[in-house]
Amino acid sequence: MRDKGEFLFTSESVSEGHPDKVADRLSDTVLDAFLAADPYARVACETLVTTNRVVLAGETRGPDSITHEYLAHLCRMAILDIGYDQEGFSWKNADIAVHLHAQSADIAQGVDSAGNKDEGAGDQGIMFGYACTETPSLMPAPLYYSHELLRTIRDRRRAGDKTVAGLQPDAKSQVTLRYVDGKPVAATSVVISTQHDEGMDQAQIKRMLLPLIQDVLPAGWMPAENEIYINPTGKFVIGGPDGDCGLTGRKSIVDTYGGAAPHGGGAFSGKDPTKVDRSAAYVCRYLAKNVVAAGLAERCTLQLSYAIGVSDPLSVYVELHGNPFDVDEAKLEKTLRELVNLRPRGIREHLHLNRPIYVPTSAYGHFGREPDAEKGTFTWEKTDLVPALKSAFNR
């Protein structure tokens, strides 16, 4: 994203009832079940959902108490919690096939610690983290407001709020903001497509959602009414997995920074924290957020890279986007490595990742969320490195 001039930038979000997010939720349901029984279980679970059918596939290593029947039951309860009891996709009668088998011994030997060998990365790859000063959560504003629109609809729907009566779980949003000299100043368009009951028309749904959009956007940001697009196809009754096939990991840009920052390509849901696709992406966000929170940058992009079976990252790269506060970036890279052990085991221990904390990440983004000390969720959103960073750079 540019630092100067005037431009438009757009991000999208999808709700927990979107078919790809249903798949993410079920993959993370499987993961949390294993981690609840054994914090060091290994899971790589992919999910496919379509009309009244769920297929779980992948590799696991964990206690025998986590049976296929138990996982199928947990998936039904997750589908019920999302809100699907429709003819084409129902928690009651969807066919759930579980095809999970033992983790490859070849992969395990590269990951497991043994003798003097520390735990290695579960795969090769590059991971990115990003933070900026555009919102209180230090997330890009277009994605922040796209998520907030759908979270608000979800919260009101679950509370039985009459202002959203008749809306169903599947929804998408898209927000376009106008930037001046790198800062968002107004929304130029908003798109919301939401599944609804039979008999509701487009105009009725637009009347329902206009006040909600007004509540979510900052004062003075509301676009012209002809730039607010509600269910632009006109009708959205058939939705969720009955309307489209869903697969784990297909919403990686929604899960991260809405396109405002690079993405390494690895998906998150269904992967235990030995997989650096997930855990290293979390620590990248943690480090970038602390850099910005410490006042060392207005925007920070951070990259890590790993080789499968190798403990130490191959590279640590920090970009401060113009470096307006004249921070020594090489010193910053060194300081971050000193503050946090960036080996897979070190990341897991520092962020307390070996716990059943992943279902809440499966919708509305993995980043920009509030840490919950009681539940242990979103530990990578803490800013506890700020004092040490300020001290290291005399801020």
Side-chain angles (χ1 to χ4, degrees), residues 298-317:
E298 292 184 346
R299 295 169 57 203
C300 176
T301 299
L302 190 144
Q303 185 205 58
L304 297 177
S305 68
Y306 290 87
I308 188 168
V310 179
S311 298
D312 286 307
L314 305 183
S315 63
V316 179
Y317 169 79

Side-chain angles (χ1 to χ4, degrees), residues 1 7 12 16 26 36 72 79 137 180 186 209 211 213 273 282 315 350:
M1 191 182 295
F7 59 91
E12 69 160 349
E16 61 187 342
L26 300 185
I79 295 167
S137 63
V180 177
L209 293 183
I213 297 168
Y282 287 176
S315 63
H350 190 96

